[in-house]
């Protein structure tokens, strides 16, 4: 069996980058849902203001964490890779399932 050497600092930064990337993807999904709900008039002006402030605060904290950990580029690369993976999966699903033609494109 071959041993794989892992530098603790690199592994730690990789894990932090993955967690931040996943949180960014969740924030993006929440933003899309908020826009959808605003367009359907499901949110009051106060809810819109509060939601916007909360999402902005999360994004600011994520940016601060990326900068302090020195992982901006790693997060950007991983984010792009995950976006591509998700897009490919949605296209594949749309090709297999009737009624999902609007996804992935």
């Amino acid at each position: 069996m071959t041993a794989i050497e892992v530098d603790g600092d690199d592994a730690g930064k990789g894990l932090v980058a993955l967690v931040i990337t996943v949180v960014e993807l969740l924030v993006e999904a929440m933003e899309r849902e908020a826009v959808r709900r605003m367009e359907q008039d499901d949110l009051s002006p106060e809810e819109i203001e509060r939601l916007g402030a909360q999402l902005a605060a999360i994004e600011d904290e994520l940016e601060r964490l990326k900068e302090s950990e020195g992982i901006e580029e790693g997060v950007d690369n991983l984010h792009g890779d995950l976006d591509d993976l998700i897009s490919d999966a949605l296209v594949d699903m749309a090709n297999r399932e009737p009624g999902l033609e609007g996804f992935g494109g």
Side-chain angles (χ1 to χ4, degrees), residues 53-73:
Q54 290 170 342
L55 291 172
I58 292 169
E59 289 175 348
D60 288 345
E61 183 63 17
L62 290 172
E63 290 302 317
R64 188 193 67 73
L65 284 169
K66 288 191 298 189
E67 186 177 319
S68 71
E69 295 295 322
I71 57 172
E72 298 99 331
E73 185 177 338

Side-chain angles (χ1 to χ4, degrees), residues 21 25 28 32 76-90:
T21 302
L25 292 171
E28 289 173 11
R32 285 190 298 274
D76 290 344
N77 292 338
L78 187 55
H79 197 265
D81 292 344
L82 288 175
D83 280 344
D84 292 344
L85 183 65
I86 291 168
S87 293
D88 291 347
L90 289 173

Side-chain angles (χ1 to χ4, degrees), residues 88-101:
D88 291 347
L90 289 173
V91 168
D92 187 48
M93 283 176 36
N95 290 334
R96 293 179 189 205
E97 299 291 328
L100 294 177
E101 295 82 13

Side-chain angles (χ1 to χ4, degrees), residues 4-46:
I4 299 174
E5 302 264 339
V6 177
D7 179 2
D9 288 339
D10 287 344
K13 284 188 177 205
L15 181 58
V16 172
L18 176 61
V19 170
I20 288 175
T21 302
V22 170
V23 172
E24 283 183 346
L25 292 171
L26 290 172
V27 169
E28 289 173 11
M30 290 188 313
E31 288 172 343
R32 285 190 298 274
E33 178 63 13
V35 168
R36 185 192 67 76
R37 290 185 64 195
M38 286 184 332
E39 289 172 348
Q40 294 181 347
D41 292 326
D42 287 346
L43 297 173
S44 70
E46 295 82 18

